[in-house]
Amino acid sequence: MSTIECKHITKRYRGVNSLDNLSFSIKPNTITGLIGRNGAGKTTLLKTIAGFYQPTSGEVEVFSKNPFNNLQVSSNLLFIDDNMLFPPGLTLREILESAASFYPNWDANLANRLFTYFQLKPKQHHHHLSKGMKSTFNMIIGLSSRCPVTIFDEPTTGMDAAVRKDFYKALLKDYIDHPRTILFSSHLLNEIDSFLEDVLLIKKGQLVLHLPVTELKEYAVGLRGKKSVIVEFTKHLEVLHEEEFGTDYVFTVVKSERSTWQEAKKCGVEVFPIATDDLCMYLTAEFKGGINDVFNRD
């Protein structure tokens, strides 16, 4: 049984589809990365799942219920992003102390330990924090609440690299001890693919792929060699990206098949693994040559 089920959902704004006939399901107790370029519809999708938006058409179910204006769903779901607002009169310490009344699974000890570790000041107010410190405090709320469904929408905005790494470690450690369904939207797939179980990739509101990270890492390979050899070798393969170097040298990314590596090497073609973030960039690009197509004068 799925925790989250989206069936042919479309969300239309002023004549434009932000989500376009999107269908997928999320299994219980998994960490899924939602990946896509700016404007792909990631935040719209997450807010629709969280019950903030109602789809123009299609069905969304969380715990087998429509999440829109549903108190039962909202009491078991938490949405974390960089626009979170808290009562301006409360200090950070007071916000943490009051959180227990909102989240049944709230772990005050974890919250306090994280609060101390990241050197937040008890008497500070949320709206006075820097962007990075706001994200850090929001992250503490997201982890300590232990909601059955926790959604992180670009949660590391403003964080420096060291804090991001600590956040990822904290999330994974707490998830192992207290499994729940986590959706994690980020542009930094290369940083988070180590703890993701599944990846959901969207482009212009449409599903590109939804598969385990282990499969994503083997989804494609890079080929480099003489242009004439590469063209002949790839004529029956699905080409995802291609670049030319000089007059007769080509780098091509193709959808991997079990025999691709061995056959390519026999033809004198170099074979390379493709990083997951590069692969997602290629899969969501408008042009197979990427930015190089801008400078192609042919």
Side-chain angles (χ1 to χ4, degrees):
M1 183 176 180
S2 302
T3 299
I4 299 168
E5 187 84 33
C6 292
K7 303 175 184 177
H8 306 291
I9 60 170
T10 294
K11 182 63 179 177
R12 195 166 182 82
Y13 293 109
R14 298 178 180 177
V16 177
N17 287 344
S18 180
L19 303 177
D20 189 2
N21 196 34
L22 197 57
S23 296
F24 63 89
S25 60
I26 303 293
K27 296 177 292 185
N29 299 330
T30 55
I31 305 180
T32 300
L34 176 60
I35 309 300
R37 300 195 178 202
N38 289 335
K42 298 190 300 297
T43 294
T44 300
L45 174 58
L46 294 178
K47 288 190 172 181
T48 302
I49 292 171
F52 298 164
Y53 298 158
Q54 193 167 18
T56 305
S57 62
E59 297 179 5
V60 180
E61 291 185 349
V62 179
F63 310 120
S64 300
K65 299 181 184 301
N66 183 346
F68 186 70
N69 284 341
N70 189 309
L71 291 177
Q72 185 176 350
V73 172
S74 61
S75 64
N76 288 282
L77 184 150
L78 179 61
F79 182 91
I80 301 289
D81 70 353
D82 61 353
N83 294 315
M84 292 187 75
L85 297 175
F86 298 94
L90 296 183
T91 64
L92 298 183
R93 175 60 67 190
E94 289 169 338
I95 293 172
L96 291 183
E97 290 173 349
S98 63
S101 62
F102 291 95
Y103 308 115
N105 299 326
W106 179 260
D107 187 327
N109 288 329
L110 175 62
N112 290 332
R113 291 196 302 270
L114 290 171
F115 191 86
T116 300
Y117 179 84
F118 289 108
Q119 302 179 46
L120 290 158
K121 304 290 191 299
K123 294 185 178 181
Q124 283 181 306
H125 290 80
H126 189 267
H127 59 283
H128 290 157
L129 297 176
S130 68
K131 197 171 190 67
M133 293 305 284
K134 283 181 180 178
S135 294
T136 301
F137 183 79
N138 298 347
M139 171 266 292
I140 294 173
I141 297 290
L143 293 181
S144 303
S145 67
R146 291 183 177 150
C147 278
V149 172
T150 305
I151 298 174
F152 291 101
D153 186 15
E154 297 288 350
T156 60
T157 301
M159 290 183 184
D160 60 36
V163 175
R164 291 200 306 272
K165 288 180 181 179
D166 280 339
F167 171 34
Y168 302 148
K169 290 178 183 177
L171 185 150
L172 182 57
K173 285 179 176 293
D174 198 60
Y175 170 77
I176 291 172
D177 291 336
H178 303 276
R180 61 263 207 195
T181 302
I182 296 175
L183 285 176
F184 198 109
S185 166
S186 176
H187 289 88
L188 306 172
L189 180 57
N190 61 318
E191 288 190 1
I192 67 174
D193 65 0
S194 61
F195 64 80
L196 296 179
E197 295 170 85
D198 295 328
V199 167
L200 182 67
L201 179 65
I202 63 174
K203 174 183 178 181
K204 294 183 178 180
Q206 296 181 328
L207 181 67
V208 176
L209 54 80
H210 182 199
L211 74 177
V213 171
T214 52
E215 293 183 20
L216 182 68
K217 291 179 177 180
E218 299 179 355
Y219 188 85
V221 294
L223 308 175
R224 188 167 62 189
K226 289 186 177 181
K227 184 176 181 179
S228 57
V229 176
I230 294 289
V231 169
E232 177 65 23
F233 182 75
T234 60
K235 63 183 180 181
H236 298 302
L237 299 176
E238 182 179 346
V239 176
L240 307 177
H241 176 76
E242 53 190 2
E243 296 180 45
E244 292 190 13
F245 297 92
T247 57
D248 191 31
Y249 211 60
V250 178
F251 173 70
T252 301
V253 178
V254 298
K255 188 172 180 181
S256 182
E257 296 179 4
R258 187 172 296 274
S259 59
T260 301
W261 291 63
Q262 292 78 10
E263 292 179 4
K265 290 177 180 178
K266 290 179 183 178
C267 296
V269 174
E270 296 179 84
V271 181
F272 301 88
I274 300 297
T276 53
D277 56 334
D278 287 340
L279 174 59
C280 289
M281 179 178 65
Y282 300 147
L283 288 169
T284 56
E286 291 297 318
F287 304 97
K288 288 185 179 180
I291 192 64
N292 293 323
D293 285 354
V294 174
F295 300 94
N296 188 345
R297 297 188 179 130
D298 293 340

